Amino acid sequence: MLGFLKGDPKKKLQKAYNDKLAKALHAQRNGDLRTHSALMEEAEALYAQIQALDKKGG
């Protein structure tokens, strides 16, 4: 009934994915490759969730 009040889960995941990528890039530029690697793994997990939502919805 009030579905328009719910947030879009894909949009939320996309924002988190973009934030992780930006943080990973910053870590890489500062030479912190361990943090970069950890952030990239988290970003890949978020990307997999986004892809699952795309397959489910489309």
Side-chain angles (χ1 to χ4, degrees), residues 1-9:
M1 182 172 167
L2 296 175
F4 66 91
L5 293 176
K6 290 184 180 179
D8 184 14

Side-chain angles (χ1 to χ4, degrees), residues 10 13-14 45-57:
K10 183 178 174 187
L13 284 173
Q14 187 69 41
L46 288 171
Y47 185 73
Q49 292 177 358
I50 292 169
Q51 292 301 314
L53 282 176
D54 281 344
K55 286 183 181 179
K56 182 180 172 185

Side-chain angles (χ1 to χ4, degrees), residues 22-49:
K23 288 179 183 178
L25 178 64
H26 185 69
Q28 184 183 27
R29 287 184 177 170
N30 286 334
D32 190 359
L33 297 181
R34 288 182 191 213
T35 302
H36 171 262
S37 177
L39 288 169
M40 286 303 294
E41 285 182 19
E42 293 174 17
E44 288 175 7
L46 288 171
Y47 185 73
Q49 292 177 358

